[in-house]
Amino acid sequence: MTGLLATKPRPAEVPALAEAALWQELALTPKPGLVDRLNSGSHRDMDHALFARSIVAIAPWFSRFAELGSAHADKPAEEQLRLLRPMGMACEQAMYAATGGINTHKGGIFALGLLCFAAGRVKNVSADALSCEVSNICRGLVSRELAGRSGQATAGERQFQLYGLTGARGEAQSGFATVRKALGQWNGQSLHGLLLRLMATNQDSNLVSRGGIEGLRYVQDYARKLLANGWDREALIRMDNALTERNLSPGGSADLLSVGWVLSAIK
């Protein structure tokens, strides 16, 4: 990761890093429970080629997010989500058009789109500045969209009500606290190591949706044991088989891996 940016990064470089992060995440193999070059993990409706088409479709939007952030940099942070959301939804539609309606990167669009948008707003691009600005933009998001709604609950609202989990919204509101903590414990070498650290600590809503709170705890415990006892390619393949057998996919951690790659590249 070191040496990726030889000079101080500019806002225009963050969208390129966001796209590169998605390709890095897709290429990482083996990736327990997730789509990689070996198999589709727990995703029977997805494969490597579908993810590649999705990345090609959404990548042009990252520079548009940064340009939008720059165009409205004079406006208060609390007004930004209202400006950003229509473009985020348009990017999602481009993804769905490329994938035949399959959600391959909705979480990645949300997290990386926020990073790119923040890059257009900050004066000096750094990992800390971007994380702080994303937190400012998303201030109050959890209380507005998870705690404060009534009527038919979404999956995210149910997880918040049952377990207090805040999902992608909470992670963004925190300025990607889970990612930054994992980066602080990571040696900067193998991306598998960073993914395992994320899987060990991330309150992954994808896992809860598929396997309940027990599924989440299973994956967290498995990742912690590998980190504590050591791991190699064969150990990751065994974990992949175990998660696939249980239909568990740590998709939220895969999204955060892309965020971590961007922040680490900027550092």
Side-chain angles (χ1 to χ4, degrees):
M1 212 70 69
T2 56
L4 182 60
L5 294 176
T7 58
K8 193 172 184 178
R10 299 185 302 274
E13 290 169 330
V14 176
L17 290 175
E19 178 184 1
L22 291 181
W23 289 115
Q24 290 284 337
E25 188 275 326
L26 179 58
L28 189 65
T29 302
K31 207 155 62 251
L34 298 159
V35 173
D36 57 25
R37 294 186 183 277
L38 283 179
N39 57 50
S40 297
S42 299
H43 297 274
R44 296 176 181 83
D45 58 345
M46 303 178 188
D47 59 21
H48 188 277
L50 185 75
F51 268 74
R53 292 200 301 274
S54 177
I55 294 172
V56 170
I58 66 180
W61 290 87
F62 290 141
S63 60
R64 297 171 194 168
F65 291 134
E67 290 163 3
L68 185 67
S70 179
H72 296 282
D74 60 327
K75 294 183 175 66
E78 59 267 21
E79 297 180 11
Q80 300 305 305
L81 276 181
R82 177 178 57 82
L83 298 167
L84 177 57
R85 273 199 159 125
M87 185 175 286
M89 293 172 67
C91 181
E92 287 180 10
Q93 290 308 308
M95 172 194 74
Y96 286 129
T99 63
I102 296 173
N103 174 16
T104 45
H105 286 107
K106 189 172 180 178
I109 291 170
F110 175 71
L112 295 173
L114 279 167
L115 277 180
C116 293
F117 184 79
R121 284 179 52 82
V122 300
K123 292 182 178 179
N124 296 300
V125 173
S126 69
D128 288 341
L130 291 182
S131 299
C132 183
E133 186 61 20
V134 169
S135 179
N136 290 337
I137 291 168
C138 295
R139 185 179 295 123
L141 184 60
V142 169
S143 61
R144 288 195 307 273
E145 299 196 359
L146 293 181
R149 288 188 175 181
S150 59
Q152 185 64 38
T154 65
E157 289 171 301
R158 286 193 296 272
Q159 289 185 16
F160 180 79
Q161 292 162 5
L162 289 171
Y163 310 116
L165 303 182
T166 59
R169 294 177 181 88
E171 183 66 15
Q173 184 175 298
S174 74
F176 301 115
T178 303
V179 178
R180 289 184 284 116
K181 182 178 180 181
L183 286 173
Q185 300 169 336
W186 180 49
N187 61 14
Q189 296 177 349
S190 168
L191 275 182
H192 278 119
L194 180 56
L195 178 61
L196 284 173
R197 292 195 179 280
L198 290 167
M199 290 167 63
T201 57
N202 181 33
Q203 303 292 330
D204 196 322
S205 60
N206 288 32
L207 291 173
V208 179
S209 294
R210 285 172 172 261
I213 203 71
E214 298 81 7
L216 171 64
R217 301 298 179 233
Y218 175 82
V219 173
Q220 288 180 327
D221 290 344
Y222 203 132
R224 287 168 185 158
K225 287 175 183 175
L226 289 187
L227 289 167
N229 301 326
W231 50 271
D232 55 17
R233 180 181 173 86
E234 292 306 313
L236 291 171
I237 290 176
R238 287 194 295 273
M239 186 180 186
D240 184 29
N241 292 335
L243 266 61
T244 300
E245 181 180 330
R246 291 166 174 79
N247 195 36
L248 295 172
S249 167
S253 293
D255 295 332
L256 296 187
L257 180 68
S258 297
V259 172
W261 194 91
V262 172
L263 295 180
S264 181
I266 291 172
K267 270 191 172 181

